[in-house]
Amino acid sequence: MKPPPDTYNPATTGQRVDQIDTPALVVDLDAMERNIQRMAEFARKHQVRWRPHAKMHKSAELALQMQAAGATGACVQKTAEAEALAAGGVNDIFISNEVVAPHKLLRVARLAALLAARGGRLAIAVDSPEGIQRLGEALAAARAAADVLIEIDVGQGRCGAAPGPETLALAQAVHGQPQMRFAGLHAYHGGAQHLRSARARREAIAGAVEAARRTRDLIAAAGIDVPLVTGAGTGTLVHEAASGVYGELQAGSFLFMDADYAANEREPAQPNFEHALFVKTQVISARATHAVCDAGHKSHAIDSGLPRVLAQDDRHALDYASGGDEHGILRARRPGGHLPALGQMLWLIPGHCDPSVNLHDVMVGVRGGLEGGAVERLLRVDARGALS
C-alpha cells in the first residue's frame, strides 16, 4: 500500500537497509511473520479465536494480513480507528471501548451499517444503562444493528461494570434492544500485562477468570446466552487461553514485541515472540565520552521507558539516555566499551510500540534482516492520530 503523495517516505521499495533515511520506523518482516505464525499456532492449539488489537499497529494492511493467517478480525479503541480500518478493507471490527458522545455514536451506527452491507460486522463495548440507551438511539436513527459486549472490570480499575448482578442487568437491557445483539463479555485486564513476575500475572488473571466465569454463569442462568468472553493481552494470553472461559484473545503487541514486554519474566508456555519493530537512527555527533544519534522522543514513545539499543555483543552494548526531542545520547554500557563512530547506523527497540507507531506516517518493511536486507513494503499507518 502506497502512502499518500504528500507524505514523506524515509525509503523506497528495493533500497538496501543502509539506504533508509533516519530516523525511521522499521519492521523486520521475517520476524513479524514468525510472530504471526506462532500466534496462529497457539490459538489453534488452545482452540480459541484471536482478534489482534489494531491500536498497536494502526495499519489496515497488517490487520488483513493477520486475518489471512486466521485472525477473526481486529480490535480498536477509537471510533476513528475503526473508520480508518474499514476504509482499508477490514470488515470485522470490535470497538473494545465505551462511546457515549451522540455525534460519535452516529458515526458508530453508520459504520455498523456500512460493514453489514459489505457482509461484515461491528461490535462495541458498553458498561452503563445510559450508554446502552444512547447507542440504541443512534442505531435506530441509522437503521443499523451492532453486536454489543458488556465490559466488566476484572481488575484494571478503569472502565467496566462490576462483575455479577450489575452486569446481568446490563445484559438484560441489551437483550431487550431490537438494534442490538448481545455478543458476550469483554473482560480485559490491562493492568496485569506488565506485571514483571510470571506468578503475579498468573494470580491477577486467576481473579479475572473467576469474575468472568461467575458473571457468565449468572447471565446464562437468567436465560440469556453468552456467546463469548473476550480479552487477554500479550503478557497474559497463556492464562486466558487455558482458562476454559475465554474464547477469544485480543493480544496485539506480540506482532512487534517492544522493550517493555520483553522485560517480563517469560511464561514457559508462551510463544517465543521476537522483536520486529525498530527505530533506525544514525550517529550525528561523536565525542570521547558519548555519541549522539538523531532519534529523540519525537521518533519513539517514552511512557514505558527509554528504548534499548540493539547490540551485536557486550563490547558494543550501549545505553540510551534522553537528549530531548531530536537527540539520543549513547554511552558505552561497560568501562572501555566501544562507542559508535560518526555516521554509524544503529537500531533502537522502542519501550512501547503502540504510541511509537502513532508518531510515524509510514513503517518501512524490510526483508532479509536488519544488516543485509532490503525494503520490500511501505506500510501506511492508516489510523495515525485517530483519537476521536
Side-chain angles (χ1 to χ4, degrees):
M1 181 178 294
K2 294 182 179 179
D6 59 346
T7 297
Y8 168 72
N9 283 331
T12 57
T13 56
Q15 279 187 323
R16 301 188 313 271
V17 167
D18 63 342
Q19 294 175 305
I20 300 171
D21 200 3
T22 59
L25 196 62
V26 174
V27 177
D28 181 336
L29 296 174
D30 300 302
M32 182 191 77
E33 289 169 7
R34 287 191 293 269
N35 289 343
I36 293 173
Q37 179 183 6
R38 288 163 186 160
M39 185 65 191
E41 290 171 351
F42 179 84
R44 283 195 298 270
K45 176 182 176 181
H46 291 274
Q47 298 182 320
V48 292
R49 305 191 307 193
W50 53 298
R51 179 182 292 274
H53 226 304
K55 74 181 180 67
M56 193 280 292
H57 56 77
K58 301 173 179 64
S59 164
E61 188 173 343
L62 291 181
L64 291 171
Q65 182 173 346
M66 284 186 279
Q67 282 186 239
T72 303
C75 289
V76 297
Q77 286 289 80
K78 298 290 187 174
T79 304
E81 288 178 334
E83 292 167 334
L85 290 194
V90 181
N91 289 331
D92 194 326
I93 301 171
F94 172 35
I95 303 175
S96 56
N97 199 4
E98 284 66 34
V99 179
V100 297
H103 64 284
K104 284 196 183 76
L105 285 169
L106 285 175
R107 288 164 54 193
V108 168
R110 293 188 193 113
L111 183 58
L114 170 67
L115 293 181
R118 293 182 350 197
R121 65 188 281 271
L122 181 76
I124 187 169
V126 298
D127 71 353
S128 68
E130 186 173 356
I132 294 169
Q133 180 183 346
R134 292 185 181 192
L135 175 60
E137 291 169 355
L139 290 169
R143 298 181 180 178
D147 286 2
V148 177
L149 293 96
I150 309 297
E151 180 170 9
I152 60 174
D153 183 0
V154 291
Q156 172 80 0
R158 192 168 60 186
C159 297
E166 181 180 327
T167 299
L168 169 60
L170 295 177
Q172 291 168 328
V174 169
H175 196 60
Q177 288 273 354
Q179 296 84 17
M180 299 181 188
R181 298 178 292 266
F182 178 59
L185 301 175
H186 171 46
Y188 173 67
H189 193 336
Q193 302 310 311
H194 298 281
L195 295 173
R196 292 301 180 220
S197 81
R199 178 179 178 178
R201 295 195 302 277
R202 283 196 299 272
E203 291 174 351
I205 298 305
V209 168
E210 180 53 34
R213 187 198 316 274
R214 173 168 49 89
T215 305
R216 179 200 63 184
D217 293 349
L218 182 67
I219 296 170
I224 300 175
D225 182 46
V226 185
L228 182 70
V229 176
T230 180
T234 298
T236 66
L237 60 87
V238 295
H239 307 301
E240 286 93 344
S243 68
V245 173
Y246 284 75
E248 183 177 81
L249 309 177
Q250 298 175 9
S253 295
F254 78 89
L255 185 69
F256 290 157
M257 281 303 287
D258 54 36
D260 194 57
Y261 264 117
N264 283 355
E265 179 187 0
R266 185 171 172 270
E267 288 278 359
Q270 181 168 319
N272 185 26
F273 299 125
E274 306 172 46
H275 290 301
L277 185 75
F278 303 87
V279 175
K280 185 190 177 192
T281 186
Q282 182 178 33
V283 175
I284 59 172
S285 181
R287 298 290 179 267
T289 55
H290 66 278
V292 180
C293 68
D294 61 359
H297 302 329
K298 286 184 180 178
S299 65
H300 54 81
I302 61 172
D303 59 300
S304 295
L306 295 171
R308 283 174 39 210
V309 184
L310 189 65
Q312 61 192 55
D313 53 41
D314 284 350
R315 182 170 175 269
H316 291 83
L318 299 170
D319 287 325
Y320 181 102
S322 172
D325 292 346
E326 311 294 354
H327 303 87
I329 298 172
L330 307 170
R331 295 186 175 91
R333 182 167 301 166
R334 301 181 185 281
H338 176 81
L339 282 172
L342 189 71
Q344 185 172 333
M345 304 296 177
L346 299 169
W347 302 93
L348 307 180
I349 303 169
H352 190 181
C353 46
D354 306 36
S356 294
V357 170
N358 196 51
L359 295 170
H360 296 261
D361 292 315
V362 171
M363 295 177 281
V364 180
V366 167
R367 179 77 66 191
L370 301 181
E371 294 300 322
V375 178
E376 180 178 279
R377 302 159 65 185
L378 297 179
L379 297 158
R380 179 175 172 172
V381 184
D382 301 288
R384 182 185 181 187
L387 304 178
S388 65

